[in-house]
Amino acid sequence: MQGASRAAYAAFDERLDAALASTGADAGQRAAAIGDSLFAFADMLRAQPAVRRALTDTGRSPDDRAAFVRRLVGDRVDPAATELVEAAVRDRWRSPGELTSATEEFGVAAHLAAAHERGRLDAVQDEVFRFGQIVQGDPDLRTALLDQAAPARSRRELVRRLLEDKASPETLRLVEQVVLGRRDRKLEEALERIGELAAERRHRRVAVVRVAAPLSSEHRERLERALSAQAGRAVQLNVVVEPGLVGGLKVEIGDDVVDGTVRSRLADLQRRLAEN
């Protein structure tokens, strides 16, 4: 995000943190309710372009845009979420789509906060990552999940068959939202973003480590310590076993990639031989 949207995003983030901090004894339930309401609002924005434009129209006053939100949602969503959205539309967004994306992303953050309160954040992060790996390795499944011609109900049922009774309730809710909300081909990116937000909640970075064989507990701990020292903060390891790598490992932390696999070294050797 750039310019006005970056400032509006940061303000939304601060307000959400304040709302989640004041949820009291039933913090997990309240955070989930806020998350569901933000998802509902994001779904409405995605489905109604005229509403998106009206709520980011700088020709209308901030008070007018906030009043429009109240007329749209009434008392049908969580009051705290309504206040968050009213405050968000008072700010300036560079495009209607960025308001939609931010609203959905903060719905994700609220559900991750609910998982944290219930002691399930680590499980959710791992489950979402594993689901993303399954989707990446199964083109037919990916096509079925993204098939906009299929009824939303059938795609929701597909997600539930895959995850219900196998994953945390928060994982199921997050994956449902990502699948049903995608009208583009960026499903894997959306799942990766959930993992990043989960890591950020614990002040960590995500490192995807690709290896030819499973790591021992000792090797994993040593690698985690080394990567944490390099990144300057704690690192969450997501380990992917790819026998085709032959040996060594490949580490991805954000845009930084270190490829020390045997397959990579062989490919490099072949290129050098071809050049001579």
Side-chain angles (χ1 to χ4, degrees), residues 42 125 145 214 263:
Q125 184 173 4
L145 291 171
R263 184 174 68 186

Short mmCIF file of all heavy atoms in Angstrom, two decimals, residues 42 125 145 214 263:
data_model
loop_
_atom_site.label_atom_id
_atom_site.label_comp_id
_atom_site.label_asym_id
_atom_site.label_seq_id
_atom_site.Cartn_x
_atom_site.Cartn_y
_atom_site.Cartn_z
N ALA A 42 -16.32 -7.04 4.39
CA ALA A 42 -15.45 -7.18 3.23
C ALA A 42 -16.17 -7.89 2.08
O ALA A 42 -16.03 -7.51 0.91
CB ALA A 42 -14.18 -7.95 3.60
N GLN A 125 -1.38 -21.72 12.56
CA GLN A 125 -0.34 -21.35 11.60
C GLN A 125 0.15 -22.57 10.84
O GLN A 125 0.31 -22.54 9.62
CB GLN A 125 0.82 -20.66 12.31
CG GLN A 125 1.89 -20.17 11.35
CD GLN A 125 2.96 -19.34 12.03
OE1 GLN A 125 2.95 -19.19 13.24
NE2 GLN A 125 3.88 -18.80 11.27
N LEU A 145 -11.30 -25.31 -5.93
CA LEU A 145 -11.47 -24.29 -4.90
C LEU A 145 -11.68 -22.90 -5.50
O LEU A 145 -12.35 -22.05 -4.90
CB LEU A 145 -10.26 -24.27 -3.98
CG LEU A 145 -10.07 -25.50 -3.08
CD1 LEU A 145 -8.72 -25.45 -2.39
CD2 LEU A 145 -11.19 -25.60 -2.05
N PRO A 214 13.32 -35.33 6.27
CA PRO A 214 12.90 -34.66 7.51
C PRO A 214 14.08 -34.29 8.40
O PRO A 214 15.08 -35.02 8.46
CB PRO A 214 12.00 -35.71 8.19
CG PRO A 214 11.51 -36.56 7.06
CD PRO A 214 12.64 -36.63 6.08
N ARG A 263 20.57 -30.21 -5.64
CA ARG A 263 19.98 -29.99 -6.96
C ARG A 263 20.39 -28.64 -7.53
O ARG A 263 20.71 -28.51 -8.71
CB ARG A 263 18.45 -30.08 -6.87
CG ARG A 263 17.76 -29.98 -8.22
CD ARG A 263 16.27 -30.22 -8.10
NE ARG A 263 15.62 -29.13 -7.37
CZ ARG A 263 14.33 -29.16 -7.02
NH1 ARG A 263 13.59 -30.22 -7.30
NH2 ARG A 263 13.78 -28.14 -6.39
#
